[in-house]
Amino acid sequence: MSQIYSFAGESEFYRRGSNPKEANIFLSLGSLVDCYYPPCKRSRVVAAPSLFSAFEEEKPVSIDVLPDECLFEIFRRLPGPQERTACAFVSKHWLTLVTSIRQSELDVVDHKTEDDSEGCLSRSLDGKKATDVRLAAIAVGTAGRGGLGKLSVRGSDKVSDLGLRSIGRSCPSLGSLSLCSLSAVTDIGLLEIAEGCPQLEKLDLSRCPAITDKGLVAIAKSCPNLSELTLEACSNIGDEGLQAVARSCSKLKSVSIKNCPLVRDQGIAALLSNTTCSLTKLKLQMVNVTDVSLAVVGHYGLSVTELVLAGLSHVTEKGFWVMGNGIGLQKLNSLTITACQGVTDTGLESVGKGCPNMKKALISKSPLLSDNGLVSFAKGSLSLESIQLEECHRVTQFGFFGSLLNCGAKLKAFSMVNCLGIRDLATGLPASSHRSGLRSLSVRNCPGFGDANLAALGKLCPQLEDIELCGLKGVTESGFLHLLQNSLVKVNFSVCSGLTDRVVSAISARNGLTLEVLNMDGCSKISDASLVSIAANCQILSDLDLSKCSVSDFGIQALASSEKLKLQILSMAGCSRVTDKSLPSIVKLGSTLLGLNLQQCRSVSCSTVDFLVERLYKCDILS
């Protein structure tokens, strides 16, 4: 019966035991049972018999079964960067392998044509977008498209040494590297950059606490073309790293060090003494240096043109005195001193005399500086073109006018910000034939500055063109009128409650052919009368700020009716009296407008703003 059951007549009939290869499937049937076995192909691979071998599917063969060593050898023998890039984008695993290949390990040298510009590409990663995988993708993606020249990575804890390894091994043309707030990057990553990027010229390390002197030493030894170095809040970088840079980087032009507690006098001395002929910019901010460093700067800073000293709490008056008398800062062009307790009258006078070619000086947060020091500084700096004082509360109106009377003829700009010692002149200036060549004056948030000072300025500075008087509540209408004799170009009277329509009308009538910028932000007494005068007289005015002024639709219509006025920037923020009725006027003005501010204009509807956005497509609109 077993010989006939399910027999189709197309296959051979086998008795028990005649097909031993598949017999294990039917072991449970017993030894006396005759069974039918269909013919089957002989297996190519002889494997140990398994109870479930008949139900197992044959696995597809994949290149992934190759070990990484074999894939590495394949990738490094590919003919060019395009082929390696194509392979890298197959998977993250392949991407990691491709970016692990050093340029020296490539079996085929990449041939560049004359049209290829090496290191022409720039990439920036910030926050969550900055990861090791993205850095690896950038490394291989830029290799065949001109090469990566500039890279900036900021604010991520997902970037580690692995990402920098990808850059170091794939981007030999890298010339500028900026790393900021990367807590997982250590010396190992910087060593990879040093080894693979010998053309590096600019290095910026900010808030990278795991990088030490070891990483900076490696950069110094392998990157002799380094010209710009910025270190900020790197708590483990100190004198050893700076000394290595000084020894190996003879082309160094710019050094900025901020809030690095391990940087001391030895590191600064090494930098200055070894880069005397090349270093042009030096910034020392909140570092633990003493008078010794300033003495070295004054002696060896022969090529320094820009010097910034900020928050140097251990530097005394002696340091500034020695720096000025060192006669090494002959080429200094710009000096910035902020929050240095050692800035006194004697120290600043010495600096002024020791820097005969200085053109710009900014002195900020110097509580010991008085009128005598400021006047002596102005006398000694014969080439000075710009003075800026911020929060120097011992400087009074006498120091201000004394510096104007005693400075050289080259002084063109003077700025005072938050100087609470300034008061209004009780008496006029002494009779003098001296006239200042001052062109720009800025007085901001000096509450004691009043009408008498403006009257004196009107006589002393007849060439004033740019005037910025902000937050001066002590200036009235009569004070502003003293400035009318000047040919004004830029005027900023923001938050001056004493400004009136009469002043604006007088200024526009006298300076209509020269006035280019007029800012009346927060001047609540300005009304439509001022706009009527501006429309009638100003021909080249391009920037007008009416924020929080008492102007209405009538004033805006007056501006639009002017055939000469070609405004490019118009701000009406907080003008509650401007309504939707001004729409036709704004559209007409919009033929030349590039910027329009309608923020907090509560009487202008959203539909009007939407129409303006659609109609004035060349204009940036804030609403």
Side-chain angles (χ1 to χ4, degrees), residues 60-291:
V61 178
S62 171
I63 194 173
D64 287 332
V65 301
L66 292 177
D68 290 348
E69 294 79 5
C70 292
L71 291 174
F72 181 91
E73 293 298 325
I74 293 173
F75 293 152
R76 80 182 188 90
R77 287 174 168 80
L78 292 175
Q82 288 81 6
E83 289 77 10
R84 287 191 294 275
T85 300
C87 291
F89 291 158
V90 170
S91 66
K92 290 183 180 180
H93 179 61
W94 282 25
L95 177 63
T96 303
L97 286 175
V98 171
T99 54
S100 68
I101 304 173
R102 292 187 174 90
Q103 295 296 306
S104 59
E105 294 172 332
L106 294 176
D107 190 60
V108 179
V109 179
D110 296 339
H111 296 285
K112 293 182 174 63
T113 63
E114 295 182 356
D115 295 333
D116 289 339
S117 53
E118 189 175 0
C120 63
L121 300 180
S122 176
R123 296 291 183 269
S124 178
L125 295 178
D126 195 357
K128 295 180 179 180
K129 294 182 180 180
T131 63
D132 287 337
V133 174
R134 286 184 178 269
L135 281 177
I138 287 175
V140 297
T142 58
R145 295 179 174 85
L148 184 64
K150 183 178 180 180
L151 176 64
S152 174
V153 187
R154 303 175 61 86
S156 174
D157 56 356
K158 296 182 180 179
V159 172
S160 67
D161 297 330
L162 185 62
L164 291 190
R165 187 192 73 169
S166 302
I167 297 296
R169 297 191 178 186
S170 302
C171 305
S173 61
L174 186 66
S176 175
L177 176 63
S178 177
L179 306 177
C180 180
S181 300
L182 305 179
S183 57
V185 172
T186 70
D187 293 331
I188 297 176
L190 213 57
L191 287 172
E192 291 284 352
I193 295 294
E195 184 177 351
C197 307
Q199 300 182 34
L200 191 67
E201 296 181 359
K202 300 178 182 180
L203 178 63
D204 182 351
L205 302 177
S206 300
R207 294 184 289 279
C208 296
I211 295 179
T212 69
D213 285 327
K214 181 180 179 182
L216 190 57
V217 169
I219 291 290
K221 291 181 178 179
S222 301
C223 306
N225 294 324
L226 191 68
S227 61
E228 294 186 19
L229 175 64
T230 300
L231 303 175
E232 180 178 347
C234 294
S235 56
N236 290 307
I237 293 180
D239 292 341
E240 182 183 351
L242 294 182
Q243 289 170 346
V245 171
R247 288 191 302 266
S248 304
C249 305
S250 58
K251 299 180 181 180
L252 197 64
K253 295 182 179 180
S254 175
V255 174
S256 177
I257 305 173
K258 181 178 181 180
N259 195 21
C260 296
L262 296 183
V263 173
R264 309 291 176 111
D265 292 328
Q266 292 182 350
I268 302 303
L271 276 177
L272 269 296
S273 60
N274 286 275
T275 59
T276 300
C277 298
S278 63
L279 191 65
T280 59
K281 296 181 180 180
L282 177 63
K283 297 182 180 181
L284 301 177
Q285 305 175 73
M286 294 182 287
V287 290
N288 295 322
V289 298
T290 67
D291 297 337

Side-chain angles (χ1 to χ4, degrees), residues 527-549:
S527 67
D528 294 334
S530 293
L531 301 190
V532 172
S533 178
I534 290 172
N537 297 290
C538 297
Q539 299 185 16
I540 63 172
L541 187 67
S542 61
D543 190 334
L544 179 61
D545 193 337
L546 307 172
S547 301
K548 304 181 187 69
C549 292

